[in-house]
Amino acid sequence: MGRASKRMQRKAKMELKEQVTVEILPEEIYTAVDIAKGYKEEGKYNEAMETLLSTFEKYGVKNITAYEVAEVYYSSGDYEKTATWCENTMNVDSSYIPTYLLLTKLALLQDQQDNALALLEKSCHIAGGDMTLYSETLLELMQI
């Protein structure tokens, strides 16, 4: 029982280490995301998408850019593509909390409260219970 317990502890530490690892991205990616957000707020979804897709060619698909593509689709009302890009984001980074929160919005819009609750629980688990960074989004969810 001692060996199994130590193996479980070691595995838990490795999983935590994997979650904490943060990839340092070039400033150009953050600039592109900011530009895309501006376009999105103006309702210029094609321009937002082009801005984000241009980063894919140079830097590959990153969690933040894949998520922003999902956000653009969500803002444009294309919920099917939103879900697809949320899945793409999770394939890149399964611990990217904003993705789970966006999926929660989709679940609430489709009256899938059980799914929404499960997604919120997963978000809380990934965040280690500290969701203060996402308080604005959580308040928005309460209004859906």
Side-chain angles (χ1 to χ4, degrees), residues 69-70 72-88 102-103 106 109-110:
V69 169
V72 170
Y73 280 124
Y74 179 81
S75 296
S76 71
D78 190 338
Y79 301 139
E80 191 173 313
K81 287 186 180 175
T82 301
T84 299
W85 275 94
C86 283
E87 186 177 322
N88 292 342
L102 184 55
L103 286 170
L106 289 176
L109 289 173
Q110 297 171 351

Side-chain angles (χ1 to χ4, degrees), residues 65-129:
T65 51
Y67 170 76
E68 284 303 322
V69 169
E71 274 283 336
V72 170
Y73 280 124
Y74 179 81
S75 296
S76 71
D78 190 338
Y79 301 139
E80 191 173 313
K81 287 186 180 175
T82 301
T84 299
W85 275 94
C86 283
E87 186 177 322
N88 292 342
T89 305
M90 291 166 59
N91 288 336
V92 173
D93 182 357
S94 64
S95 64
Y96 196 61
I97 294 170
T99 307
Y100 290 95
L101 298 177
L102 184 55
L103 286 170
T104 301
K105 287 181 189 179
L106 289 176
L108 290 172
L109 289 173
Q110 297 171 351
D111 290 326
Q112 298 175 352
Q113 287 80 10
D114 290 342
N115 288 344
L117 183 58
L119 289 161
L120 284 173
E121 286 176 4
K122 177 76 173 175
S123 301
C124 245
H125 175 73
I126 292 169

Side-chain angles (χ1 to χ4, degrees), residues 39-79:
Y39 281 138
K40 184 178 69 174
E41 288 172 7
E42 295 172 8
K44 297 178 179 179
Y45 304 120
N46 289 336
E47 290 86 346
M49 197 65 69
E50 287 174 17
T51 303
L52 294 167
L53 294 178
S54 71
T55 67
F56 292 174
E57 295 169 5
K58 191 169 183 179
Y59 300 106
V61 179
K62 302 297 181 190
N63 61 0
I64 190 169
T65 51
Y67 170 76
E68 284 303 322
V69 169
E71 274 283 336
V72 170
Y73 280 124
Y74 179 81
S75 296
S76 71
D78 190 338
Y79 301 139

